[in-house]
Amino acid sequence: MTTLDTAADGAPAATGGAAAGGPGLAQERRLVTPIPGPRSQELLDRKAAAVAAGVGHAAPIAAVAAGGGVVVDADGNSLIDLGSGIAVTSVGNAHPKVVEAVQRQAASFTHTCFMVSPYEGYVAVAEALNRLTPGDFPKKSALFNSGAEAVENAVKIARKATGRQAVVAFDHAYHGRTNLTMALTAKSMPYKSGFGPFASEVYRAPMSYPYRDGLTGPAAAAKALSLIEKQVGADNLAAVIIEPIQGEGGFIVPAEGFLAAISEWCTANGVVLIADEVQSGFARTGAMFASEHFGLVPDLVTTAKGIAGGLPLAAVTGRAEIMDAAHVGGLGGTYGGNPIACAAALASIDAFETEGLVERAAELGEILLGRMRALQAEDPRVGDVRGLGAMVAIELVDPATHAPAPALAGAVAKRCIAQGVVVLTCGTYGNVLRFLPPLSIGDALLHEGLDVVAAALAAEAAA
Ligand SMILES: *Cc1c(COP(=O)(O)O)cnc(C)c1O
């Protein structure tokens, strides 16, 4: 893996304008001003004046270039990237294959609308998704622009295929910010509060959460399925939607046997099982899809985020007979499967398959889990360490009561960013620090980033 471990150095620091990014950027943490520096602050002031307040930001910087494992800001600071723009730039920012494919496609044509004049890139992405997603039955795909749009369409398809209306989602679930996906998402603040009324016929079941429910997978599934049978009824239920590893909800990995039991019940009752792999898909967890870790073969899979190296693209893929249930003209959208996004997806999929990125995610996971378990051993505020591959999180708690410690998580993340490491929080209780490095990060840089996390946690104890 030397090409990934030792990114080329010597590239000049970007200091504004159209800076060259990609793996050629100097792979270093470099602070030349406080965060935010004056140029970043200037942009943040313009943002505050021009951009709706509801659109927040985690790192107070003005990004001008990114690649390998770093994000460079307008002041010349180089920050270690442990977020990948929320699990999107898994192949690495400005990956050379993606850049080349995007440039070539943009010069050829930028849009025809696939529903007006179809083109090959869209079909090739569908073929790749049909091949790569779990299950060796005939599959079909449809392409969209965002994860939320993919989830909305998966539900539409499941309803049409079953002739039923109800949908079950789980505690701690995150499925997006559009109206139906807000209804599916569990957490009120900030995702739903004040934005109702929400779509109807959405029901919530308890999720397996080993750290907090203490249940085995089968016991947690029995609890969920009993609730579904009593409060919804299988005859009314079109789909069960679940993230095989929950993302925004706190990187919750269900106990062994939970997903299998839910899946079996869905099959027995004619309910479409939708795996939302928007965050966990595309090599992120050390498998092409997280479902594979659990032997889960969903009927439909939703994908987005890591699919296209940063370009907006999303998909629903699944059993051909279910996907074909919607009538002609019932699915689509003006931009869905944009040719430039498809070119980027094909280049990204090529990178995942030929550059050993699935294996690299597993290696990064060993580093992440090893470091975080060592931290947990010496700091009881690290209540839980969980995740798979390059999707790892720590849950911070009060050592005495295990009550969530969101203020601590927020303070540690803030301190990390000030020290040049982009770390994101998540979790229903806001007390989870999550690590989602680009798979193009080198070992040394990852270790340095985690050193900063450990120091920030220690500093918060002293504070
Ligand atoms: C991010 C996310 C979504 C929504 O994707 P957008 O592209 O932001 O609409 C849906 N499901 C999961 C699991 C996600 O992580």
Side-chain angles (χ1 to χ4, degrees):
M1 305 302 305
T2 43
T3 52
L4 291 169
D5 286 347
T6 55
D9 53 20
T15 50
L25 272 180
Q27 294 298 297
E28 62 182 10
R29 181 169 65 105
R30 183 182 67 237
L31 292 175
V32 298
T33 71
I35 304 283
R39 290 185 177 189
S40 290
Q41 189 57 56
E42 215 179 289
L43 182 75
L44 295 174
D45 292 343
R46 284 171 56 196
K47 174 183 183 271
V51 178
V55 184
H57 59 261
I61 62 168
V64 295
V70 298
V71 178
V72 175
D73 77 11
D75 297 288
N77 298 301
S78 174
L79 290 80
I80 298 175
D81 181 10
L82 299 184
S84 301
I86 317 188
V88 168
T89 54
S90 298
V91 296
N93 226 309
H95 186 291
K97 284 179 181 166
V98 173
V99 172
E100 198 271 332
V102 164
Q103 287 174 338
R104 189 156 31 89
Q105 181 59 46
S108 178
F109 65 95
T110 49
H111 174 83
T112 62
C113 185
F114 189 74
M115 301 181 305
V116 176
S117 309
Y119 40 87
E120 199 214 345
Y122 187 119
V123 177
V125 170
E127 289 167 346
L129 289 167
N130 298 345
R131 172 172 61 83
L132 291 169
T133 48
D136 54 4
F137 37 74
K139 284 177 235 155
K140 290 197 172 180
S141 291
L143 305 186
F144 305 97
N145 302 295
S146 69
E149 206 187 344
V151 168
E152 293 248 359
N153 278 279
V155 171
K156 277 170 64 174
I157 292 164
R159 283 176 169 160
K160 195 80 204 301
T162 58
R164 304 171 180 173
Q165 294 188 348
V167 182
V168 162
F170 288 84
D171 286 336
H172 315 291
Y174 181 86
H175 298 292
R177 297 167 179 271
T178 57
N179 188 263
L180 173 59
T181 59
M182 274 195 294
L184 294 168
T185 290
K187 190 176 178 177
S188 175
M189 198 65 189
Y191 305 127
K192 305 169 72 164
S193 188
F195 297 140
F198 304 111
S200 59
E201 287 304 313
V202 172
Y203 301 86
R204 195 163 309 285
M207 174 71 183
S208 168
Y209 190 165
Y211 177 63
R212 293 201 175 273
D213 70 12
L215 297 176
T216 66
K223 190 173 153 193
L225 292 171
S226 161
L227 184 149
I228 292 169
E229 285 180 342
K230 296 291 175 284
Q231 298 187 18
V232 188
D235 290 350
N236 303 306
L237 187 55
V240 167
I241 181 163
I242 190 161
E243 301 154 85
I245 298 175
Q246 289 185 319
E248 304 305 303
F251 284 23
I252 300 164
V253 183
E256 174 87 35
F258 178 78
L259 291 170
I262 299 287
S263 170
E264 253 171 60
W265 183 88
C266 286
T267 303
N269 289 281
V271 174
V272 175
L273 180 64
I274 304 169
D276 184 350
E277 292 248 20
V278 166
Q279 189 155 164
S280 59
F282 288 100
R284 176 54 53 189
T285 65
M288 195 57 94
F289 293 97
S291 292
E292 296 167 38
H293 293 292
F294 307 97
L296 181 69
V297 180
D299 299 306
L300 301 180
V301 179
T302 52
T303 52
K305 292 198 167 98
I307 190 174
L311 274 87
L313 188 70
V316 183
T317 301
R319 291 183 184 274
E321 68 273 18
I322 296 176
M323 290 297 296
D324 279 340
H327 45 271
V328 174
L331 303 177
T334 306
Y335 293 117
N338 169 272
I340 300 174
C342 286
L346 293 170
S348 298
I349 290 167
D350 177 65
F352 285 124
E353 294 199 286
T354 64
E355 295 176 7
L357 294 183
V358 173
E359 296 75 14
R360 182 61 185 153
E363 283 175 15
L364 293 171
E366 280 178 32
I367 295 175
L368 284 163
L369 287 169
R371 292 289 306 266
M372 290 305 117
R373 284 179 184 140
L375 200 58
Q376 183 184 31
E378 61 192 39
D379 191 335
R381 294 173 303 166
V382 181
D384 196 23
V385 177
R386 56 184 180 245
L388 284 166
M391 184 173 182
V392 166
I394 58 176
E395 178 162 351
L396 300 179
V397 299
D398 178 321
T401 62
H402 292 185
L408 176 63
V412 171
K414 217 170 153 190
R415 204 179 272 273
C416 288
I417 291 167
Q419 291 300 314
V421 181
V422 179
V423 172
L424 306 174
T425 60
C426 67
T428 294
Y429 314 109
N431 64 326
V432 176
L433 292 178
R434 57 172 153 175
F435 307 110
L436 292 163
L439 307 181
S440 52
I441 197 170
D443 286 4
L445 206 60
L446 178 59
H447 277 293
E448 186 179 341
L450 299 177
D451 290 342
V452 169
V453 172
L457 190 59
E460 282 303 322

